[in-house]
Amino acid sequence: MEGGPSGSLVTDKGTTTIEDVVVAKIAGIAAREVSGVYDMGGGTARALSTMRGIVGGDKSLSQGVSVEVGQRQAAVDLDLVAEYGIAIPELAGAVRRNVINAIERMCGLEVTEVNIRVDDVHLPTPAGEDSGMSAAGGERSGGKAEQGPRVQ
């Protein structure tokens, strides 16, 4: 199976090149498959994706993913939003395993690293209710501003 885990991307019959966008899509899909991943991308990327959805555009499968692809190896950086209540270290481990398995199986590339940045936590609220909290967990209004750092 050329290009698979037991095959080679460089053979005496030719070379197979896998573009960064292909690896990024595979990584994005694999990360979203893991239970506990609410969304992908930083705040600005998610806002633009929401706007794209409003005007009828498709959501980008590689949103929140950046990759570096060489001839035989790939490195992946993921930016994701976790569901509230999920153990983030366990979520990161599951995402990392799923992304590595998908890229190595589909592309035949060795994944050297998968760096995960949890950008936010999604707080579920019942429809029509306002919890008074932002997704980042801070009070929106009516609360006192704290003076100085609480931890060092």
Side-chain angles (χ1 to χ4, degrees):
M1 176 172 83
E2 183 177 314
S6 61
S8 177
L9 296 173
V10 179
T11 69
D12 57 347
K13 304 243 185 217
T15 304
T16 302
T17 303
I18 301 172
E19 294 294 324
D20 292 10
V21 67
V22 173
V23 177
K25 281 185 179 181
I26 292 168
I29 292 168
R32 284 177 176 84
E33 289 175 345
V34 177
S35 178
V37 174
Y38 177 75
D39 203 357
M40 301 280 295
T44 305
R46 289 193 319 269
L48 291 173
S49 178
T50 300
M51 293 301 292
R52 192 170 35 245
I54 290 171
V55 296
D58 291 333
K59 189 170 194 162
S60 171
L61 296 175
S62 59
Q63 175 180 301
V65 181
S66 66
V67 299
E68 289 182 43
V69 180
Q71 286 187 322
R72 293 182 177 90
Q73 296 179 327
V76 181
D77 295 321
L78 301 172
D79 193 5
L80 59 87
V81 178
E83 294 274 359
Y84 176 77
I86 299 295
I88 293 174
E90 291 174 17
L91 175 65
V95 168
R96 190 171 284 114
R97 281 188 301 277
N98 209 43
V99 168
I100 290 170
N101 289 338
I103 292 171
E104 288 183 349
R105 181 177 54 82
M106 294 180 70
C107 301
L109 294 167
E110 174 193 1
V111 179
T112 59
E113 63 183 27
V114 177
N115 299 309
I116 298 171
R117 177 176 168 238
V118 179
D119 182 64
D120 203 353
V121 174
H122 177 272
L123 301 174
T125 56
E129 278 191 31
D130 186 0
S131 68
M133 301 292 281
S134 72
E139 289 188 25
R140 286 192 213 160
S141 60
K144 290 183 178 180
E146 292 191 27
Q147 304 297 322
R150 293 178 41 188
V151 295
Q152 295 182 7

